[in-house]
Amino acid sequence: MSDARAATEEIPVIFLHAVERHYKQGDATLYILKGAELAVWAGQSVALVAPSGAGKSTLLHLAGLLEHPDSGDVYIDGKATANLPDAELTATRRNQIGFVYQAHHLLPEFSALENVMMPQMIHGLTRAEARKRAAELLGYLGLRERLMHRPAELSGGEQQRVAIARAVANAPRILLADEPTGNLDPHTADHVFSTLAQLVRASGLATIVATHNMDIAARMDRRVTLREGLVVELD
Ligand code: ADP
Ligand code: MG
């Protein structure tokens, strides 16, 4: 348990409570989450390790307020989200939550720097402010010499580091990563993950990373899996 937990005792940054999610598939109903519980505190990193199809992406989408539970609720800083108006959901998502996917989804026409500036300018920062923070973040992630490169001019590992910088550009409280190193070779995956872990520790983010990589999972604060639609602690 990190020191950050003690400082913010009790209230998790993110809390999935009794979360149920099912999908209709023709006549059948697929029950994916059946009352899942997961609390993550500031500064804490959780690895979500489960087989393909178990519901990892579903859980992350629910935690990221991109999908809504069929029952149960997702609390952000102690605040229930089930009945929030759309505008407030969007604002919470934009200000509090950063998402990293397996594919980087960077805008191909823009430089690394511009890709990280963009969410900040949407958030209302001036170009100069956004540029300063973007350069700092990219420098912190080891990309000082790559600011003007477009995504196609970057390696896979560099692209993912830019995607991480973009996800935290607006200083969210929560970072959700869905197999962020799944497309990378083991050595590069390890490097990208180290950078991510360093950033999480320095910024006090509450982090959930879905991964198949056990080396990566072993270096996080907690490991959980999905069993019969429930979140189960692994150690
Ligand atoms: P994971 O990320 O662990 O591989 P997912 O959360 O993507 O698993 O999916 C869990 C299960 O839910 C899978 O069997 C998948 O086919 C099903 N599923 C996910 N999204 C939908 C959807 N929109 N409609 C129907 N079934 C879905
Ligand atoms: Mg998935």
Side-chain angles (χ1 to χ4, degrees), residues 104-193:
H104 58 74
H105 295 304
L106 297 170
L107 297 170
E109 301 304 317
F110 294 90
S111 68
L113 191 71
E114 288 166 330
N115 267 282
V116 182
M117 288 170 63
M118 207 94 57
Q120 300 179 78
M121 291 172 67
I122 292 169
H123 190 66
L125 264 68
T126 66
R127 201 174 166 79
E129 288 166 334
R131 193 179 200 289
K132 183 167 183 289
R133 177 162 166 86
E136 279 170 7
L137 264 174
L138 289 165
Y140 186 80
L141 294 173
L143 295 167
R144 208 173 305 281
E145 312 298 325
R146 299 286 185 279
L147 302 187
M148 300 308 164
H149 290 230
R150 290 186 183 184
E153 299 161 347
L154 297 168
S155 72
E158 289 167 346
Q159 289 167 349
Q160 271 315 55
R161 281 185 278 150
V162 177
I164 292 166
R166 180 187 51 181
V168 300
N170 285 333
R173 306 259 289 125
I174 300 162
L175 181 63
L176 303 170
D178 197 351
E179 307 196 34
T181 60
N183 284 346
L184 305 175
D185 66 77
H187 178 75
T188 309
D190 192 72
H191 182 228
V192 168
F193 182 76

Side-chain angles (χ1 to χ4, degrees), residues 1 5 8-13 39-44 205-206 222:
M1 194 67 55
R5 163 92 191 260
T8 57
E9 205 53 75
E10 273 143 46
I11 298 194
V13 179
V40 186
W41 282 264
Q44 198 177 51
L205 281 159
R222 282 165 60 198

Side-chain angles (χ1 to χ4, degrees), residues 14-17 19 62-65 69 72-76 79-82:
I14 183 149
F15 177 33
L16 280 74
H17 177 52
V19 164
L62 293 166
L65 311 181
D73 208 343
V74 176
Y75 296 78
I76 307 284
K79 190 173 174 187
T81 60

